[in-house]
Amino acid sequence: MVYLRAMYVIFGVTLHYFGYRRFLRSPQKEQTRPKKLVQFLLELGPVFVKIGQILSTRQDILHSRYAEELSVLQEAQPEIACPIIKKQIEHEFSTPINDVFDEIDPNPVAAATLAQVHRGRLSDGTVVAVKVQRPKVEAQIRRDMKALESALAIAKFLFPNLIKRSNLCHLFDEFRKYTIEELDFENEANNIDAFKTQFLNTTFVRIPDVHSAQSTSRILTMDWVEGATMEQALTDFGQSTLKNLTARLVETLLTMFVANGHYHADLHPGN
């Protein structure tokens, strides 16, 4: 099954590669190509959606029309029905959902590649964001990582110089490592705590508290924090506010990258 999946991926990627070449020669005639690539990645599942998210930020190597179309993968993921989410929560805690949360909004506020987020309320009235891992997503990801590994091995055999020059094998190893780590929400909870300590004395950065009693390796419960997306900020805020936000964002990033060495490494606009 893994090798069949690998061959399907190779076949699909090859078709879309030549489709991209045709698009570059005649963008108007081939204008549906970017949307077809997005649909192909959505059909393949979470691993390939993540690859699409990475590509959406790389207008230095990808035509802007493709990058713009791929950017929908940063937020627009298929939603999971609320009964399935509730069942997942009850399975994780081995207890009825009402014993864990007083209230869970049936409508998700966000649906991402690995998880879906719902607004909830604890028994003490605290409003929280409940991040629930998609059912069976771990099995999907591990299967597709094996398929990608097989596809790369075939490509390396057929095009050894190209694969060596592109450094794809190393990139894949890094991608697999951090994607597998993302499946364990306890890692994310630990990172949140580390960031909270890191920005303890920074008044303009707010890190939500993690509620450990309502969290597991597949459920992450945090304080609910109101905010705006970057797109909303660019539309709704005045120039002086945007200038101030930009300065604070740069200071925050430099603090992470230079001063502390502990940083958010998935900074596409959806995050």
Side-chain angles (χ1 to χ4, degrees):
M1 286 296 291
V2 169
Y3 286 104
L4 286 176
R5 180 77 167 169
M7 294 305 296
Y8 180 74
V9 169
I10 291 172
F11 180 71
V13 168
T14 302
L15 285 181
H16 283 282
Y17 170 74
F18 285 110
Y20 180 67
R21 297 287 297 272
R22 287 194 290 272
F23 174 87
L24 292 179
R25 290 194 295 269
S26 181
Q28 291 304 317
K29 187 178 179 181
E30 303 288 341
Q31 58 184 318
T32 62
R33 293 284 177 186
K35 285 185 182 295
K36 288 179 179 178
L37 175 59
V38 170
Q39 290 305 312
F40 175 66
L41 295 175
L42 284 170
E43 175 197 330
L44 286 176
V47 166
F48 300 92
V49 169
K50 279 191 159 295
I51 292 172
Q53 290 174 342
I54 295 169
L55 290 174
S56 74
T57 66
R58 296 299 306 274
Q59 291 196 32
D60 56 322
I61 62 172
L62 203 63
H63 192 282
S64 60
R65 289 271 295 281
Y66 265 79
E68 181 181 347
E69 199 64 47
L70 287 167
S71 68
V72 305
L73 297 174
Q74 295 168 5
E75 294 187 36
Q77 301 302 309
E79 294 181 2
I80 309 166
C82 190
I84 298 175
I85 289 293
K86 289 183 176 180
K87 186 176 180 180
Q88 180 85 337
I89 293 172
E90 290 179 340
H91 175 75
E92 278 298 302
F93 290 100
S94 301
T95 189
I97 191 170
N98 292 336
D99 291 345
V100 186
F101 302 102
D102 260 20
E103 179 186 332
I104 288 284
D105 190 328
N107 300 309
V109 294
T113 49
L114 301 185
Q116 187 161 291
V117 179
H118 290 253
R119 183 183 175 117
R121 190 181 303 276
L122 303 182
S123 58
D124 63 0
T126 302
V127 180
V128 291
V130 185
K131 180 177 179 179
V132 184
Q133 191 170 115
R134 289 176 176 271
K136 301 180 181 179
V137 73
E138 181 173 354
Q140 282 182 288
I141 284 177
R142 292 188 183 278
R143 177 201 64 186
D144 284 341
M145 288 298 181
K146 289 180 181 179
L148 271 177
E149 186 176 30
S150 299
L152 266 178
I154 295 169
K156 188 176 181 180
F157 176 77
L158 296 174
F159 314 106
N161 293 330
L162 174 63
I163 297 301
K164 185 176 181 179
R165 286 198 308 271
S166 64
N167 205 24
L168 275 178
C169 291
H170 178 70
L171 290 173
F172 170 70
D173 287 341
E174 284 295 308
F175 174 70
R176 174 171 54 187
K177 179 177 180 291
Y178 76 68
T179 301
I180 295 298
E181 286 178 352
E182 275 189 83
L183 290 168
D184 186 351
F185 290 175
E186 290 180 4
N187 288 328
E188 185 171 349
N190 291 335
N191 281 324
I192 291 171
D193 288 340
F195 280 125
K196 199 169 186 66
T197 300
Q198 184 172 316
F199 289 101
L200 191 63
N201 298 317
T202 306
T203 58
F204 55 81
V205 176
R206 180 177 175 188
I207 311 294
D209 286 330
V210 173
H211 297 268
S212 301
Q214 289 80 26
S215 298
T216 70
S217 61
R218 293 186 180 92
I219 309 286
L220 182 61
T221 302
M222 303 165 281
D223 283 345
W224 179 270
V225 179
E226 295 287 349
T229 65
M230 290 182 69
E231 185 177 353
Q232 289 169 336
L234 289 171
T235 302
D236 299 341
F237 298 163
Q239 286 301 310
S240 61
T241 302
L242 288 174
K243 185 177 180 180
N244 188 32
L245 284 173
T246 301
R248 289 181 171 186
L249 177 60
V250 170
E251 181 180 339
T252 302
L253 293 175
L254 288 175
T255 299
M256 289 192 291
F257 296 148
V258 180
N260 296 313
H262 188 89
Y263 55 87
H264 194 308
D266 195 16
L267 290 173
H268 64 73
N271 282 340

